[in-house]
Amino acid sequence: MRILFLLAAFVLLATFAPPAMQHREPPPAVTLVRYTPAPLDESAPGRNRLGELDFLGAWALTSNDARIGGISALHVESGEALAMSDAGWRIRLPLPKGSVPVRAEVAMVEKGPGPPGDKVNRDIESLVVHGDMVWIGFEQVNAIWRYDRHSFEPRASTAPPAMREWSDNAGPEAMVRLPDGRFLVFAEGNGGDSEAILFAGDPAAGGTPALRLRYRPPEGYRVTDAAILPDGRLALLNREVSLFTGFTVRLTVATLPKLIGGALIEGREAAAFEGPATRDNFEALSVTREGGRTILWIASDDNYNPLQRTLLMKFVLRE
């Protein structure tokens, strides 16, 4: 029990201590990623349901490249994942099809708030991909930048006044683009209600009108990512960490209220990653469609900590 307590303490410290920019050693000539299959529940290998989720697969990612990790945002499309790390790396990799190592591309988001090379300037926590554009939310500096999807050249950027008073380590933790072009950006909060900002349009364009809303996560939890479902509802990841249970995560689904100033967004629980369920520091969520089914992809931020794992999990959300 003492060993488990010490391990949990180490993970807890690594999660909330602000590390310096990682990986100053030269990267390999070719970055390879291996997907090792993992069960939904190691104590019950045949288990394939978790709340309203049907389990399709899980994989632990390992690599010869130390930059692979720290995943805090994710976009899955056309058989490929674009993952963003909280150390500023953008990672492109094919989706898992077997245990044979696959090639991945890793590059720094060179242009952003302040010079690269310092985590404070490249702490990416949220991501939206739409058309030929990518929006990135930078924690620590509370800024949103819009980039060309292919070149990653910046097209617009701002530190929105509505986010100015958010603490350095609390947001913008999650960001979604609504079907009508408005954006919702969520602060991580402190385990109670947290602030959400509704932007009338592009949040990276200075002067975009904004309204303050509230988000209520499950008690004691903090939002770590969000995504729009095909029917317009929100799927939200919410995380709690303790010395005794490690990381637990609750997936909630929320029907958006009338989006006026002060409106409260509150979801209902769809799945709980706790007990024997495979889990880690889940911070990234992406929604796709396959054969008429709604697919949820969930990834974990290992904090570049050898006691944690980079996990990628795939589920069907039962309608």
Side-chain angles (χ1 to χ4, degrees):
M1 181 63 71
R2 178 176 174 79
I3 293 176
L4 291 176
F5 180 86
L6 291 174
L7 289 178
F10 187 85
V11 169
L12 183 64
L13 290 172
T15 300
F16 295 105
M21 188 65 102
Q22 309 283 331
H23 321 309
R24 301 184 185 278
E25 68 272 17
V30 177
T31 295
L32 296 175
V33 172
R34 181 184 294 276
Y35 292 102
T36 301
L40 173 62
D41 183 341
E42 290 186 357
S43 67
R47 183 181 178 187
N48 59 10
R49 284 195 174 186
L50 187 70
E52 298 175 16
L53 301 179
D54 291 331
F55 178 65
L56 294 182
W59 302 266
L61 279 64
T62 54
S63 177
N64 63 333
D65 191 328
R67 299 173 296 175
I68 300 289
I71 294 175
S72 294
L74 181 71
H75 177 77
V76 175
E77 185 179 348
S78 302
E80 180 184 78
L82 171 64
M84 311 301 293
S85 90
D86 56 13
W89 302 110
R90 51 186 171 95
I91 305 164
R92 294 186 185 275
L93 67 167
L95 296 177
K97 292 183 178 179
S99 58
V100 176
V102 296
R103 294 184 64 161
E105 299 177 8
V106 185
M108 173 59 61
V109 178
E110 288 289 344
K111 298 179 181 178
D118 188 336
K119 176 180 167 63
V120 170
N121 299 326
R122 293 297 184 275
D123 187 352
I124 297 171
E125 294 293 337
S126 52
L127 169 72
V128 167
V129 178
H130 180 75
D132 291 328
M133 293 295 166
V134 170
W135 286 260
I136 289 177
F138 292 94
E139 202 170 54
Q140 308 288 339
V141 294
N142 292 330
I144 299 175
W145 284 54
R146 174 164 52 86
Y147 296 85
D148 179 270
R149 181 176 184 173
H150 307 288
S151 67
F152 263 82
E153 285 294 316
R155 296 292 182 254
S157 63
T158 190
M163 293 163 40
R164 190 169 294 158
E165 295 183 3
W166 289 1
S167 65
D168 293 346
N169 200 38
E173 189 71 19
M175 176 168 52
V176 297
R177 181 186 184 275
L178 302 180
D180 61 8
R182 293 180 294 173
F183 281 70
L184 271 172
V185 181
F186 295 81
E188 182 177 350
N190 58 10
D193 286 5
S194 61
E195 197 166 64
I197 305 297
L198 176 68
F199 291 92
D202 185 353
T208 300
L211 288 175
R212 297 182 187 274
L213 314 179
R214 292 180 298 140
Y215 169 63
R216 180 166 295 164
E219 185 175 356
Y221 284 74
R222 304 180 182 195
V223 64
T224 59
D225 207 358
I228 289 286
L229 295 171
D231 60 10
R233 293 178 299 163
L234 278 180
L236 302 112
L237 285 178
N238 305 272
R239 177 200 61 213
E240 183 185 45
V241 60
S242 79
L243 296 178
F244 302 103
T245 61
F247 295 105
T248 57
V249 174
R250 297 188 183 274
L251 173 75
T252 58
V253 174
T255 299
L256 288 175
K258 185 176 181 180
L259 296 179
I260 59 176
L264 174 66
I265 300 171
E266 185 174 15
R268 59 172 184 78
E269 183 179 305
F273 293 82
E274 59 188 5
T278 294
R279 64 190 189 277
D280 208 289
N281 181 29
F282 289 145
E283 289 204 6
L285 173 67
S286 183
V287 173
T288 61
R289 294 283 285 177
E290 289 183 14
R293 301 180 301 173
T294 298
I295 306 297
L296 270 57
W297 297 87
I298 300 173
S300 66
D301 173 4
D302 69 349
N303 295 297
Y304 299 106
N305 181 341
L307 296 179
Q308 294 178 248
R309 292 187 292 176
T310 297
L311 291 171
L312 179 65
M313 304 188 77
K314 182 181 182 181
F315 296 93
V316 174
L317 177 64
R318 293 201 299 277
E319 302 297 339

